[in-house]
Amino acid sequence: MTSTDGALAGPQQYLRAQQRWRAIEIVFWLSLLLPFVVTPNYLVLASQVAITALFALSLDLILGYAGIVSLGHAAFFGFGAYTAGILSKHGWGEPLTGLLISGFAAGLLGYLMSFIIARFRHLALIMITLGFGFLLLELANSLGWLTGGADGLQGVKTWPLLGMFKFDLWGVTSYWYSLIVLFILFLVCRRLINSPFGLSLRGIRENAVRMRAVGAESRAHLQKIYTISAAIAGIAGALLTQTTDTVSLGVLNFERSADVLVILILGGAGRLYGGIIGAIIFLVARDQFSGINPQYWYFPIGVLLVVVVLFLPNGILGGLAQIVESERWQRWTANLTPWRKKP
Amino acid sequence: MSTPALSTRGLNKNFGSLVVASDIEIELPQGVRYALIGPNGAGKTTLINLMTGMLKPDGGQIQLGGEEITALGPEARVRRGLVRTFQINSLFPHLNPLEAVTLAVCERQEVSRTWWKPITAYSAEVDEAYGILKTLMLAQVCYRQTRELAYGQQRLLEIALALATRPKVLLLDEPAAGVPRDESAELFAAVTNLSQDITVLFIEHDMDFVFRFASRIIVMVGGRILVEGTPDEISADPRVREVYLGSAHHG
Ligand SMILES: Nc1ncnc2c1ncn2[C@@H]1O[C@H](COP(=O)(O)OP(=O)(O)O)[C@@H](O)[C@H]1O
Ligand SMILES: [Mg+2]
């Protein structure tokens, strides 16, 4: 951030530089198009990755930014998934409006929950979110007439996207659809975290007591971000319904809440991209390992999780950022790229 | 007589059997510099916690500019202008000073509710934050994470965060706590340079500074106000001498 005379940049300049799109980000998003050409047989998996990444992104907003732990985030994912499924079963299979309605429904549920959530922290919060997740799962299980219970929801049929693109067996439409929705909501989240509101969320994560002492409306902030996060999780769930035309109780179970937490921690919480990176690693690893040994695929994930938490407390992305920001790396790349002026 | 900036009436607080505030009556006139002194454990920090709403009193009332605020939460009191700093740093370790102070300014202006506009759209708030940091000589380090700052700079940031809320009454809890004596000048300068519009109550153990800066001094011992008066009265008071000279342990 130093200019030629060694003086510091002004605050406006500095903040603008912080929020600027980096080349690596653009490369990253473009690389997400590669599956279409490189691994066209894996587009179904790729859309699962995009959906899971979106789910992880929603968790990142509350966990990575506001510091609210949740072990029951699948509640919102599942609520969105069932909303989209039930809509479709009862005759409205239009994907885009289905997505919006599902997101709205999950957001509403999140808003109601937020009155409780915003009052607690730490262990109490883990227990409440966990309990809430169980509650919703049991509810879906017992309301068989609505949800299909343990058999799953039958008769979900999603109409072609924009009336033109049918959801095909190879997942071409699914991946386009999931990827575009992921990208749009990513843009929304990116804007959010760069806003004054986003700054206050980080303040809550860093020091809730000090937030009170600067007169911050922390509770209102927490309720707002919880609602937004729930809505995005619901949209992710609805995407899953629409791209697979099935909904089962699995969308609500504890494993899904735990997985998304693992994904976010692996990738790196509080960095927006962590959930996406984590989802890629997690789902590709599951796909590969479960081919070898379907029962024990959590073993390598467990090892990876322990290693990451031990050696890269800020996740894989945090570790990479640390390397890139290190002086040694800067010197090394400066040597490699002679067109870049050495300091 | 004009209404006091801050006043307490019959404030009481016990921690179990330990009496930490007993019948505390304080009146701070507008714009004064009051020092609150007393040995460790006298209940000075607790009194700030009670005044700012971070602790609930067992009994008594608190008024800010004539308004009854006893039932208000800490945030609401800050919004009305009653602001504190912390004896033990209470900062945002992974935010840099610019972000932290901008955050406080944005909360005051209530723009923290907007999430669809980038922070760069709020140049007035950012400039104000930067200005505060500059007057406290933190501009040079304002892009560095708070946890990486020198301890003395963190103490200055404590004050910067409080100033960002535009306080009417500022309660400073040992602003130079833990700073070596020869480095505390910057902190005392920061306190001395506070706007005359701000009513200041500060806890401090450095008697040179207390006697130089305070117009009045309150001495607290064992949860009670022992005596209140001008620096001259306090230095001549035999009871104060006894507390400070009679006990080996003061700090
Ligand atoms: N939350 C608490 N619970 C129990 N005792 C406390 C608490 N906070 C402070 N105390 C006790 O109250 C007394 C006054 O503390 P404090 O107000 O911090 O003193 P001072 O700031 O004057 O040094 C001390 O004996 C301290 O141990
Ligand atoms: Mg104290």
Side-chain angles (χ1 to χ4, degrees):
Chain A
M1 269 339 101
T2 47
S3 60
T4 42
D5 59 358
L8 288 167
Q12 312 281 353
Q13 245 176 308
Y14 168 81
L15 289 172
R16 257 196 301 281
Q18 288 291 298
Q19 305 188 348
R20 198 173 295 142
W21 280 86
R22 286 161 224 291
I24 182 90
E25 289 182 84
I26 294 159
V27 171
F28 176 77
W29 282 103
L30 288 177
S31 76
L32 293 185
L33 295 173
L34 284 178
F36 286 115
V37 275
V38 180
T39 55
N41 295 329
Y42 283 91
L43 291 184
V44 173
L45 176 64
S47 50
Q48 301 274 331
V49 169
I51 291 166
T52 308
L54 183 60
F55 185 30
L57 179 64
S58 77
L59 183 65
D60 200 14
L61 287 183
I62 59 166
L63 177 64
Y65 287 93
I68 319 175
V69 194
S70 173
L71 261 187
H73 216 49
F76 305 112
F77 183 90
F79 199 73
Y82 271 106
T83 306
I86 291 165
L87 266 179
S88 168
K89 185 187 171 181
H90 291 91
W92 188 252
E94 203 288 309
L96 292 181
T97 45
L99 212 58
L100 287 178
I101 295 169
S102 305
F104 183 80
L108 194 64
L109 183 69
Y111 178 66
L112 295 177
M113 264 304 281
S114 73
F115 284 91
I116 303 173
I117 295 297
R119 269 157 223 273
F120 295 94
R121 301 211 87 180
H122 311 304
L123 191 61
L125 201 51
I126 292 178
M127 291 302 128
I128 289 167
T129 53
L130 190 62
F132 178 66
F134 287 146
L135 201 98
L136 222 64
L137 177 63
E138 275 318 308
L139 210 62
N141 193 13
S142 54
L143 296 180
W145 59 271
L146 183 66
T147 62
D151 299 331
L153 197 62
Q154 307 298 319
V156 177
K157 190 79 201 77
T158 306
W159 302 348
L161 191 59
L162 302 171
M164 287 190 284
F165 305 101
K166 283 182 72 149
F167 285 94
D168 55 291
L169 229 49
W170 299 274
V172 177
T173 308
S174 295
Y175 188 45
W176 271 119
Y177 182 39
S178 313
L179 191 59
I180 290 171
V181 172
L182 171 66
F183 183 62
I184 291 171
L185 289 174
F186 176 87
L187 292 181
V188 171
C189 293
R190 197 179 189 281
R191 201 161 174 91
L192 183 148
I193 62 136
N194 284 331
S195 71
F197 176 68
L199 184 55
S200 283
L201 290 183
R202 286 159 68 206
I204 295 171
R205 177 192 70 197
E206 291 292 311
N207 190 342
V209 173
R210 189 65 198 223
M211 285 300 273
R212 308 192 81 183
V214 296
E217 304 175 294
S218 295
R219 194 170 284 176
H221 294 332
L222 286 176
Q223 286 198 256
K224 193 186 275 179
I225 196 60
Y226 205 74
T227 305
I228 293 171
S229 168
I232 294 175
I235 289 174
L239 274 179
L240 185 67
T241 299
Q242 294 177 345
T243 55
T244 58
D245 274 352
T246 57
V247 193
S248 70
L249 288 176
V251 294
L252 281 169
N253 67 15
F254 170 69
E255 210 172 289
R256 189 174 296 273
S257 296
D259 282 355
V260 74
L261 194 59
V262 168
I263 284 169
L264 188 58
I265 301 299
L266 271 183
R271 320 185 155 257
L272 284 190
Y273 285 97
I276 306 177
I277 303 277
I280 294 171
I281 293 170
F282 189 91
L283 291 186
V284 170
R286 179 161 74 182
D287 184 69
Q288 295 299 310
F289 285 121
S290 60
I292 303 165
N293 201 336
Q295 262 148 1
Y296 299 113
W297 89 272
Y298 265 106
F299 182 78
I301 282 292
V303 171
L304 189 61
L305 187 62
V306 170
V307 168
V308 164
V309 171
L310 280 181
F311 298 105
L312 304 168
N314 296 317
I316 291 167
L317 213 54
L320 285 177
Q322 214 169 1
I323 293 171
V324 172
E325 282 157 19
S326 71
E327 268 178 45
R328 200 193 274 185
W329 172 274
Q330 300 269 350
R331 249 182 292 139
W332 191 63
T333 50
N335 286 333
L336 278 186
T337 51
W339 61 88
R340 256 171 64 171
K341 281 222 182 79
K342 286 180 203 178
Chain B
M1 220 184 96
S2 65
T3 46
L6 180 73
S7 64
T8 66
R9 284 221 308 278
L11 220 47
N12 284 307
K13 180 74 187 177
N14 301 341
F15 288 125
S17 61
L18 180 70
V19 179
V20 281
S22 170
D23 214 21
I24 302 289
E25 309 256 345
I26 287 180
E27 274 201 5
L28 303 184
Q30 305 277 357
V32 292
R33 266 77 182 114
Y34 254 67
L36 176 60
I37 65 171
N40 275 330
K44 304 180 297 295
T45 297
T46 302
L47 183 58
I48 285 193
N49 285 332
L50 291 171
M51 286 171 163
T52 53
M54 298 209 152
L55 274 178
K56 270 199 181 348
D58 297 335
Q61 283 102 43
I62 306 156
Q63 291 192 337
L64 181 68
E67 186 194 0
E68 179 67 40
I69 58 164
T70 319
L72 295 180
E75 301 91 340
R77 296 185 198 198
V78 172
R79 284 166 183 271
R80 281 166 176 74
L82 177 57
V83 185
R84 69 171 299 177
T85 65
F86 292 83
Q87 177 177 356
I88 297 163
N89 283 340
S90 182
L91 302 166
F92 305 108
H94 292 91
L95 300 189
N96 63 37
L98 180 68
E99 291 168 329
V101 178
T102 302
L103 186 168
V105 174
C106 287
E107 286 286 352
R108 188 194 79 221
Q109 301 284 62
E110 297 186 348
V111 297
S112 294
R113 296 169 186 173
T114 49
W115 57 271
W116 57 90
K117 269 200 244 172
I119 195 105
T120 43
Y122 295 93
S123 46
E125 280 77 7
V126 173
D127 285 341
E128 182 183 336
Y130 190 71
I132 293 171
L133 291 165
K134 225 156 128 185
T135 57
L136 290 170
M137 315 213 274
L138 289 170
Q140 288 298 315
V141 293
C142 75
Y143 307 140
R144 250 195 252 158
Q145 283 199 348
T146 297
R147 66 197 175 102
E148 293 169 1
L149 299 189
Y151 181 76
Q153 292 170 330
Q154 297 193 9
R155 293 308 291 160
L156 285 166
L157 185 55
E158 272 285 335
I159 298 173
L161 282 174
L163 290 181
T165 65
R166 293 239 174 109
K168 293 195 183 95
V169 178
L170 183 56
L171 311 176
L172 298 167
D173 196 348
E174 301 195 26
V179 179
R181 243 189 119 84
D182 50 329
E183 291 171 28
S184 55
E186 262 181 14
L187 282 152
F188 291 142
V191 177
T192 312
N193 293 336
L194 290 173
S195 154
Q196 287 299 320
D197 300 334
I198 305 176
T199 304
V200 181
L201 175 76
F202 67 101
I203 301 173
E204 184 47 59
H205 287 305
D206 184 315
M207 288 307 144
D208 289 341
F209 180 68
V210 167
F211 282 93
R212 201 152 25 91
F213 179 63
S215 46
R216 289 184 80 81
I217 298 173
I218 300 168
V219 186
M220 238 182 124
V221 180
R224 289 173 190 283
I225 293 182
L226 181 70
V227 56
E228 194 223 297
T230 62
D232 288 342
E233 287 163 3
I234 295 299
S235 58
D237 195 299
R239 290 169 298 175
V240 178
R241 282 168 175 256
E242 194 185 326
V243 168
Y244 273 89
L245 303 176
S247 70
H249 173 81
H250 75 90

